[in-house]
Amino acid sequence: MRALLACVLLCFSLASFADIHEELYETAGWTEQRANFADALTAAQQRYQETLPPAVFQALVTNSNRRFASHAIDQRALRALRENLQEPQPALAFFQSPLGRKIVSAEVLAARREQLARHSGGLPRMDAGSNRQLLIRHLAHAIPASEAGAEVSLALAGVAADSLSQMMPGLLGGGQAQSLLGTQRQRMIEQIDADLDNTLLYVYRDLSDAELEQFLQFAQSDAGQAYYQAALQALRAGLAVGMSSSDLQPQQGI
């Protein structure tokens, strides 16, 4: 009986541990940001429709709908989050706090379709005191915002390159299209870095200096660094950055 009870308790413990990652995924806004990405993908498809031949455009739509299906993104991202974040509880506790929820709301709002359209010509310049500027500068070093932005850009560009390579395999075959995109990662990071402080000032404009300092303390902590590094890996996996269509396998249950 003791052995059976221990086995049952262990199973419940393992199930709870697995659920923490999924709860963190929801609480930290991943599902909402995935919806924001879907809107950005639709906008990108519409832009390509005006410039690509019909056959190439249809290949792009087919590939992107397969690559970026909501369930497939969630499966890949959650799997990577589980693999790369051994202790999810500290991050979950932070994002469940009032400050954490405020941060997630600000991030989700900033990436919505109407917000991106409103600021398509650039974000307004944000005025900030020296203390707030210093907090933002430290935050820019603590969270991989530039790297995440580059991954999203590479994902959107990658599906177009992948579709083109399918139509003209002799031109961009053997994964060459994805390799070429990979060489652009650092350039994209540098471009985002150039205005990152103003971007963060805008995104977190409703946080007080005291709240920004609390956010920074979490981001710089061991738990925060572990979460953000795992989150970057999860983002890359979820969006299948660097993977060709032939690399994508049917996803199983999470």
Side-chain angles (χ1 to χ4, degrees), residues 18-19 21-22 25-26 34 70-80 82 251-254:
D19 287 343
H21 287 87
E22 191 165 355
Y25 189 83
E26 294 286 341
R34 187 242 300 140
S70 297
H71 190 54
I73 289 177
D74 288 343
Q75 286 181 318
R76 291 191 297 260
L78 257 174
R79 183 176 296 113
R82 295 186 202 281
Q251 301 296 309
Q252 305 300 320
I254 297 175

Side-chain angles (χ1 to χ4, degrees), residues 158-177:
V159 71
D162 197 34
S163 301
L164 186 60
S165 69
Q166 284 189 350
M167 298 296 295
M168 295 179 286
L171 177 64
L172 291 171
Q176 183 182 2

Side-chain angles (χ1 to χ4, degrees), residues 208-240:
S208 67
D209 286 7
E211 289 173 326
L212 270 178
E213 188 166 2
Q214 292 178 53
F215 182 16
L216 178 61
Q217 288 174 356
F218 167 72
Q220 291 179 327
S221 69
D222 290 343
Q225 285 294 292
Y227 168 74
Y228 281 111
Q229 292 307 310
L232 183 60
Q233 295 300 320
L235 176 65
R236 186 174 294 150
L239 298 184

